[in-house]
Amino acid sequence: MGDNKFKEFFQLGAVGNYFIRVFQKPDPNQKSNFNLRMMHGINKISILVFMGALIIWLVRRFM
């Protein structure tokens, strides 16, 4: 019973799965358009900038 709660605590959920999925190659069978590609491109940039800022903040905070 305690093991199940531990697994549930570390599940990524819908948002976590999107962060992983946005960096994968798109499915060639799925139809894509320019707007969708641009949206995913901007999301990739935003995620990378956020992660970079978080790393810089943590380094400054603990060094």
Side-chain angles (χ1 to χ4, degrees):
M1 187 164 186
D3 188 41
N4 192 22
K5 287 184 180 182
F6 185 76
K7 287 180 183 179
E8 287 178 14
F9 182 75
F10 285 105
Q11 283 183 336
L12 293 175
V15 175
N17 287 334
Y18 176 77
F19 287 143
I20 293 170
R21 192 178 68 234
V22 78
F23 288 103
Q24 293 177 347
K25 295 264 185 198
D27 185 15
N29 298 328
Q30 186 177 7
K31 185 178 177 184
S32 178
N33 61 21
F34 179 76
N35 292 333
L36 187 62
R37 288 195 315 267
M38 288 298 107
M39 180 191 72
H40 286 300
I42 291 170
N43 285 348
K44 288 177 190 177
I45 293 168
S46 300
I47 292 168
L48 292 174
V49 168
F50 174 76
M51 294 302 289
L54 187 63
I55 290 170
I56 290 170
W57 179 78
L58 288 171
V59 167
R60 287 184 179 177
R61 177 82 172 132
F62 294 112
M63 293 289 180

